[in-house]
Each structure stands twice: as structure tokens, then as C-alpha cells.
Amino acid sequence: IGYAFLERYFVSDQSTQLRESDTYLYGGHFLESTAWVVLGLVLMVLRRRAQSTSWKLIQADAKNYRDAWERLARVQENKDAMQRLQEFCKRCPPPAKLLQFRLDQDASADEGLPMLASFINRRRIKRDISQFLPSESHNRTRLDTVSSRGSMTPVSAPNEAMNASVNGETASMSARGSTASEVRGATQMNYRTVTSLDQLYVQAAGVHALLVQKVRAWGIDAGGRCRVEGCSDFVKWEEVQGKRLMENRVKYAALKRHERAIEKIIRAYNGKVARLCDVCRESLYFDDLSQILNCLHAIRADTDVKLLSVKNRYAPDYEDAKTAGYRDLNVNLQIVTDESKAMGVHLHICEIQLILTQFAYLKTDSGHKR
């Protein structure tokens, strides 16, 4: 407002001095500018107070997390495991600003998409999808209701193309490491970034059953643990395997709450829905860092998975002030199988959290909310 005032009354070639008729207008601008300045200062003070109050709320949680990490870091075996874990993560894709994509239904209408894939990749989701989703999503994926009209053209992941657009425009498919045939196939079926939160949740609901199957396999291979309803302690996946009653009581993560998703999109991603990559997520729990490293090896060796990024908060040089002392390891990936392609959700990015039980015992719902 101040710059506009100066340009209007003192810099403009059309006027070298205040006209008498503008005197009242000048006074109005001055009062308005003063009011906005005062309001801005008040908001700054209130924000600082809110930050101070927020930090006081999490101080106890932060101390517990840091004490747990110090106890772990004093053990030589854990130090060695941290070093091996850090070296492994350096060979993995680093944390990046990933984007959620959908198939361009307009461009792929004649590509032989199955019915469910065509539905999921609409620009907007406007009707119930329960008829398409599996009824026992935690046990197995059923595609009985999918009437396939042909096979999907194999394409490479759009997040490998570094010049993808965030504004919903067609993504460039000059992917790193893609063969010529893959790139040609990708040009036949274009990608577009997801701009609808409803559509993002439809994708997440479709891929969640597949992610659960993978989490089971990785947990068994790496000696991981899970939460079981009615058990106060974490139970090893090996003890759950084959026991139908316990398998039905495993507590899998739900899709991200709508309120939290909207809050994160507005606060952290400037309204870009495609930046939200943790709607579909799961957690695996481990007793030590060596098991986490084994799980990473299992994920990387899985041919059905496209590993996109790894964020290692167990690194000794990690600044834990960003997470109030809390540490875990986050993996972003896509599940690329015949089932996920048939549903059109092989582009959806999921998140896996690899958590030490020492931190998991301290992590409560109320503390996470704080």
C-alpha cells in the first residue's frame, strides 16, 4: 500500500503534487495503511505466542524421544548399524518433492483400460465406488468386478521425469533409464497430476489392500512386528502368520483423516493436492536398526515395487528439532503389479514408516496430535 501511494502521488508523471481533491483520499490511505501495519504486528505477536505455547506442550515428548535416542546411540552395535543404514540410504533415491499422478482418461479412452481403471482416473469422482472395491481388503485383493477390455500398455513412472508439471498439465515422459519402447508406450497414454482430493482418496483406497499384502511379506522377512488388537505389546509377524484369528485382529493404518489431509495441503503444500503422498500409509516396527536395514533390502529387492525416495531420520546428523526428537525412516514407493494396473492405481505413491519399538512405545495419539 505504501509503495502504491508513493507511485500514485509522488512518482507518477501525471501528478507532481497532491491535488486538493486527493487530500481526503490520502488521509484514507494513511489510516488504512496504519491499520494494516498494526494488524500485522498483532498477528506476528500472537503467532510467536502460539509457537511458544506449542513448544511447551511437546517439551515432555521431545525429552522422552531424545533420551531414548541417546540410550540407543551409546551402544556400539547400534552405531555400526547406523553407519550401514546411512550408507544404504545414500544409494537410494533421496527425499524429493514427489507428485501424485493419474492416467489421462481422455487420452487413454481407446487404450483398452479396464472399467475400474477408467473410473478411478476420471477428472472428478462423483459417485459411489463401493461396487468396485474389494470387500475383504485386508485379506486379499479381489478383482471379480473388473471387466477387463484389454491389457495395459507398460509405462515407466512419471515421477522419474524431473520436469513434471504441478499444475495438472501432461507430464513429460523423458524418464531416466527408460528404454525407447517404454517411452513410446508412455506417450500413448499420458499422465496428469491429481488435482482432486476425492480422486486421491479413491486411488489410496484401491491400492491399500495391495500395500497391506506387501507389509506382511516384508515384516516376516525382516523380523518385524505389528500391532494386534487386544495385545499391549507389539507382536512379531511370524507369530501372526497362519493364525487366522490373530491376522483378523492386526491393526493396520487407516487412510489419512480428511481434516488432516486438507490442513497439510493448505499449510505445507500451498493448495497442491498432488504433493500429498501419505494418504495410503502403513507402519512396520522393529527391535533394532539392523532389522530396519534388512527390511529396506527386502523392499528394494521386491520387483513389484518402484522405490521413489527414502528419508532417514536415524542418521546421526539428523536435526531432530524438526520432529521434536521423534525419529523414524520413511519410504515412498509405488506398487506396480497386474492388479494395480488393472485398477489404474499403479501411479499412486504410498508411504511406509519403519519405526523402532523404543520410539513406538512413546508415540501416542495425543502426543502425535500435539
Side-chain angles (χ1 to χ4, degrees):
I1 294 174
Y3 279 125
F5 170 78
L6 291 174
E7 183 179 4
R8 169 70 176 81
Y9 292 107
F10 294 100
V11 182
S12 175
D13 295 335
Q14 299 178 0
S15 176
T16 57
Q17 59 182 358
L18 284 173
R19 298 189 300 272
E20 183 178 352
S21 60
D22 289 335
T23 303
Y24 176 77
L25 184 62
Y26 160 73
H29 273 289
F30 178 77
L31 294 176
E32 184 179 356
S33 302
T34 304
W36 279 110
V37 169
V38 172
L39 179 61
L41 292 174
V42 170
L43 291 176
M44 288 176 60
V45 172
L46 292 176
R47 184 173 184 273
R48 293 296 295 272
R49 288 186 61 183
Q51 287 177 331
S52 177
T53 304
S54 300
W55 177 246
K56 291 178 182 178
L57 287 174
I58 63 173
Q59 272 186 334
D61 298 321
K63 184 178 184 303
N64 292 334
Y65 286 136
R66 285 167 178 160
D67 290 344
W69 178 250
E70 288 177 2
R71 289 193 295 269
L72 286 167
R74 284 197 293 265
V75 180
Q76 185 60 41
E77 293 181 0
N78 292 332
K79 291 182 180 179
D80 297 338
M82 287 179 206
Q83 184 65 29
R84 296 196 303 271
L85 188 61
Q86 199 166 12
E87 291 175 358
F88 180 88
C89 291
K90 288 180 180 179
R91 300 193 298 270
C92 296
K97 293 182 179 180
L98 302 174
L99 300 176
Q100 296 280 17
F101 283 85
R102 66 175 175 86
L103 297 175
D104 187 351
Q105 189 203 15
D106 298 334
S108 59
D110 299 325
E111 294 291 339
L113 280 175
M115 177 179 62
L116 179 56
S118 298
F119 177 80
I120 285 181
N121 290 284
R122 288 181 177 179
R123 292 182 177 178
R124 291 290 187 272
I125 305 299
K126 294 185 177 180
R127 62 191 178 98
D128 184 30
I129 63 162
S130 58
Q131 58 179 312
F132 297 107
L133 298 180
S135 58
E136 297 179 354
S137 59
H138 287 170
N139 297 327
R140 62 191 179 95
T141 302
R142 301 194 313 178
L143 299 175
D144 303 336
T145 56
V146 179
S147 59
S148 178
R149 300 199 303 261
S151 59
M152 295 280 289
T153 304
V155 294
S156 53
N159 271 290
E160 293 181 359
M162 301 307 294
N163 54 346
S165 170
V166 188
N167 298 318
E169 298 176 356
T170 303
S172 170
M173 291 308 302
S174 55
R176 301 194 304 267
S178 300
T179 63
S181 61
E182 286 179 327
V183 175
R184 284 197 299 270
T187 57
Q188 297 174 9
M189 188 179 296
N190 296 321
Y191 297 114
R192 292 188 182 275
T193 52
V194 174
T195 56
S196 166
L197 189 59
D198 289 341
Q199 187 168 52
L200 193 63
Y201 270 86
V202 170
Q203 287 185 350
V207 78
H208 186 249
L210 303 178
L211 182 64
V212 163
Q213 293 177 355
K214 290 297 181 183
V215 165
R216 284 181 181 176
W218 299 331
I220 293 171
D221 290 343
R225 295 177 179 268
C226 62
R227 292 182 182 272
V228 176
E229 187 177 354
C231 298
S232 58
D233 201 356
F234 293 94
V235 181
K236 284 193 173 183
W237 275 104
E238 294 176 350
E239 300 175 7
V240 174
Q241 187 182 18
K243 300 177 181 178
R244 188 60 180 269
L245 181 60
M246 291 192 70
E247 286 181 350
N248 292 336
R249 290 164 51 198
V250 172
K251 298 171 67 174
Y252 296 103
L255 299 184
K256 197 177 192 70
R257 290 187 303 110
H258 301 155
E259 297 84 353
R260 175 58 182 149
I262 294 171
E263 180 184 81
K264 193 170 183 179
I265 289 171
I266 294 174
R267 288 185 174 182
Y269 300 143
N270 196 28
K272 305 295 184 183
V273 175
R275 293 282 306 280
L276 190 64
C277 296
D278 62 346
V279 175
C280 180
R281 68 271 176 92
E282 281 296 340
S283 299
L284 281 167
Y285 305 93
F286 301 93
D287 295 329
D288 55 58
L289 293 172
S290 297
Q291 292 179 339
I292 289 181
L293 182 59
N294 293 337
C295 185
L296 277 177
H297 281 291
I299 293 174
R300 192 174 187 181
D302 196 324
T303 56
D304 294 336
V305 168
K306 188 176 291 293
L307 188 63
L308 298 179
S309 74
V310 176
K311 181 185 293 185
N312 179 22
R313 294 194 178 105
Y314 294 122
D317 56 351
Y318 173 72
E319 298 179 8
D320 63 357
K322 298 178 180 178
T323 52
Y326 175 77
R327 292 173 184 259
D328 62 7
L329 192 145
N330 284 6
V331 179
N332 288 115
L333 52 84
Q334 293 169 326
I335 298 179
V336 186
T337 63
D338 292 338
E339 291 87 352
S340 65
K341 290 178 180 179
M343 292 189 290
V345 297
H346 60 289
L347 301 178
H348 187 82
I349 302 173
C350 309
E351 181 182 272
I352 300 293
Q353 298 176 354
L354 308 183
I355 307 173
L356 288 172
T357 52
Q358 293 90 328
F359 284 91
Y361 284 121
L362 299 174
K363 183 180 178 181
T364 61
D365 292 337
S366 58
H368 186 63
K369 184 177 181 180
R370 288 194 296 271

